[in-house]
Structures are given as structure tokens and as C-alpha cells.
Amino acid sequence: MTNATSESKHFSILVVDDEPANIDILLGILKPYYKLKVAPSGFVALKIVEQFIPDLILLDIMMPGMDGFEVCKRLKSDKRFTSIPVIFVTALGQGEDEEHGFSAGAVDYITKPVSPSITLARVKTHLSLAHQMKTTEALVKERTQDLLASQQSAITMLAAAGHYNDTDTGHHIWRMAAYAKLLALQSGWSYEQATLLSQAAPMHDTGKIGIPDSILKAPRKLSEAEMVTMRTHAAIGHKILSQSNTPLFSMAAEVALYHHEKWDGTGYPEGLNGQEIPQSARIVAIADVFDALTMKRPYKPAWAHDDAFDYLTKHAGTHFDPTLVKHFLDAREIILTTKQYWDKLEEENLLPSIDSFIPDVISRKS
């Protein structure tokens, strides 16, 4: 036979038929070229697939108890098995039966009595297609992982750049990102969008790389002129992060520009008020201030948790979105659990991946 090669032995096929004679015929055709398993019924076939995932299934349609259409539907409804090509081997005619089979998820039909050459040709074709698909999917997954790793590195570098001259922030930018994600989830954001915000939040002060050291490191209260310069970091960060129009960096640019706006319109750089301020920036503002208050700095001790929550309450409706403050207070327990998690990492000088802003148990709970 030229239809199959010795390399075919790498592939496995499950033959499903309730008639021993039909199984014997298929075994005689395929055994020289493929690793084979046999199931005398649909029920047995499903049990076998749970333990051993074949590269292809040859499936009879007319079987007692559970016909081939039902077996195929059950396989295709399980994400573990959707990629297994199923070829129906049947004596049924074409037309509606074939349409039924394809709608159930089959990739082809072989009509009984089977032809050895046709059987080998179709099996080889669909195994080859499935193998190519798996190879392509693996390559895409690998490239996607590389892209994500590059993106995470960019986030880390831009976040670090914004705090390069601040040696006392520790895990601040990552901890506040965790709070931002929690508050977003508490406010009804989807998990995907909340995760995106947690990745954007650490870059909120990227623009500080454009502020002179004499201002950033001034050991005194800044003059009005110096404050004007300091406030330009929002626009600088926005300009830097706007160089990319991906969803992540678009959100990061938005947060960088507006995280110093205040609910009552007294913030900067544009003096927006209320819901004119993007919700992403309103969320980050609360997360950022809460963490700044509760962390120890050279010029101040860490505030007690109650005092920090009281500060947010006192300034709800002036500095902060009052609805978001309520959501934050409602999540008090989980906020403090997250703080303990990150404080422990900081004590041990550990930094998990950017996807671990919130411990898994907390993510599931929220």
C-alpha cells in the first residue's frame, strides 16, 4: 500500500461498531499502518475516549442503545474531544443522513461495504489535516505566549520607569493594581476587562520619567511652579502610552491622563467632574490613594486600615466617585486579604507573574 507509511504507526484510531464482522474488516485494512482500539458500542467508545484520546474515530451509525449521531454529538460537546476527527462508516444512504452526520460534527463518510483503498485514503487525509491543525494551534499558542511575555515585560518596565526615582514604593504599583482589579470586579466589570485594568494600572505614573529629579526628589513641599511641572506627568504618560493603540495601552494611556481628576472637578489636567472622568481612572484613583495611605514611607508611618477607609468615605463625592467608594468598602474583607498577600510577598522580596495580582482563591471568590 502506498496510502500509508510506517510513520502512520504514530497515529491511533478508535473503531466503533456493534458488528464484529465489520470491526474485523476495518482491522484488516488499518492494522498494518495504525495503532487501533475497538469499541462494540457507543457507551464503550465514550468510556475509552475518557481514558485514551485517539487521533481519529471511525464510527458506525446504526448501533443499539446509542447511535453514532449521539456519540458524535457528545464528543463534540466536550472541549477535550472537539478536535478529534470523526468519520462515519455506514450503510445508510446519502442526503439527509449525511447532512445529519455533518451537523453532529463528523468530517467525512465511508460507505459500507468499505473499500480498502478509499478507507486508507480518507483516514490518511483527515489524520494529516488534524495533525496540521494541531501543529498550527501549538505554534499559535507558543507565539501567543511569547507575545504575552513581551507585553508583561513592557508593563513591568514602564511601571518601573515611572517609579525609577522612588526607591520606597516597593510593591505599591502591583498591590494597587490588585485593588483596582478587585474594585472593577465589584463594580460589575467582566473578568477580562478587570484583568486588563490591573495590567494598565501599574503604568499610571509612567509620565514621571519626564519630571526633573530636583522636583521628584525634593525633600520639601513643592512650590506652585514646581507643582505645575509635576502635574505634567499625566500628559507625558498619556503621550508615551498612546504610541500603541492596543486595548491594553489605550486603557493605560487613559488611566495615566485622568487618574488625578477629582469627582468634584478640582483635579487635573482637564478639571473633569463626575462621570466625565473615565471609570478606569476613577477606580485607579481609589486604589492608588488607599495603598499610598496604608504603606509606610520615610516621611510618614502607614495609616491604620480603618483610618484609610474613613479617608475614602470622607472624600467620597469630592475627590472620589461615591458609588465606587461604596463598592470598595463593601469589598473590605477581600481588600485586606489581598493586602496581606502582597505584604507577605514584599517581605519575602517576591514578585509573581502579572497574572497573579490577586491570589486564585480571591479571584474565584470575587
Side-chain angles (χ1 to χ4, degrees), residues 121-136:
R122 293 190 178 179
V123 164
K124 182 181 179 181
T125 295
H126 289 291
L127 282 171
S128 177
L129 289 172
H131 179 65
Q132 290 175 22
M133 181 67 72
K134 287 181 180 178
T135 302
T136 301

Side-chain angles (χ1 to χ4, degrees), residues 42-304:
F43 293 106
V44 174
L46 293 176
K47 288 183 179 179
I48 289 175
V49 173
E50 285 284 347
Q51 303 297 323
F52 160 82
I53 299 180
D55 294 301
L56 182 142
I57 297 175
L58 293 176
L59 181 60
D60 184 28
I61 292 180
M62 300 301 291
M63 295 184 293
M66 182 188 300
D67 65 20
F69 295 134
E70 180 62 23
V71 174
C72 191
K73 286 179 181 178
R74 293 196 185 189
L75 287 169
K76 297 303 177 180
S77 67
D78 191 320
K79 63 181 180 180
R80 296 173 296 170
F81 311 133
T82 52
S83 62
I84 305 174
V86 175
I87 300 176
F88 280 130
V89 184
T90 180
L92 293 177
Q94 297 182 350
E96 290 185 4
D97 291 320
E98 286 195 0
E99 184 178 343
H100 189 183
F102 288 129
S103 66
V107 296
D108 207 345
Y109 266 81
I110 296 176
T111 305
K112 296 176 181 178
V114 297
S115 161
S117 60
I118 290 176
T119 299
L120 285 171
R122 293 190 178 179
V123 164
K124 182 181 179 181
T125 295
H126 289 291
L127 282 171
S128 177
L129 289 172
H131 179 65
Q132 290 175 22
M133 181 67 72
K134 287 181 180 178
T135 302
T136 301
E137 289 175 351
L139 181 60
V140 169
K141 185 176 181 180
E142 181 181 349
R143 295 285 173 82
T144 300
Q145 291 301 317
D146 289 343
L147 182 60
L148 287 174
S150 297
Q151 177 176 284
Q152 290 170 7
S153 296
I155 294 168
T156 300
M157 288 185 287
L158 286 167
H163 290 273
Y164 182 76
N165 285 309
D166 190 345
T167 58
D168 301 301
T169 55
H171 283 43
H172 163 66
I173 51 179
W174 314 113
R175 191 167 46 232
M176 60 80 66
Y179 298 152
K181 182 173 184 177
L182 286 168
L183 181 52
L185 291 170
Q186 191 78 4
S187 303
W189 286 40
S190 69
Y191 190 86
E192 291 72 20
Q193 284 299 106
T195 299
L196 194 70
L197 178 60
S198 74
Q199 295 172 327
M203 296 181 276
H204 69 290
D205 275 339
T206 296
K208 285 186 176 179
I209 63 176
I211 305 302
D213 287 359
S214 59
I215 293 177
L216 281 176
K217 296 183 176 181
R220 52 175 170 75
K221 184 177 180 180
L222 298 179
S223 68
E224 185 55 38
E226 288 172 329
M227 281 303 301
V228 170
T229 300
M230 174 63 85
R231 288 170 182 158
T232 63
H233 82 274
I236 294 171
H238 179 266
K239 184 176 181 180
I240 293 171
L241 296 167
S242 294
Q243 300 302 306
S244 170
N245 62 359
T246 62
L248 170 61
F249 287 100
S250 294
M251 183 178 287
E254 177 180 84
V255 168
L257 184 62
Y258 296 120
H259 70 283
H260 282 294
E261 298 286 359
K262 295 183 179 181
W263 185 257
D264 62 4
T266 62
Y268 66 87
E270 297 180 11
L272 302 181
N273 66 79
Q275 295 190 8
E276 292 176 348
I277 308 166
Q279 191 177 46
S280 60
R282 285 181 269 148
I283 288 173
V284 169
I286 292 172
D288 190 28
V289 169
F290 178 80
D291 193 61
L293 293 175
T294 55
M295 66 181 290
K296 181 180 178 181
R297 300 300 299 274
Y299 53 82
K300 77 170 187 68
W303 284 30

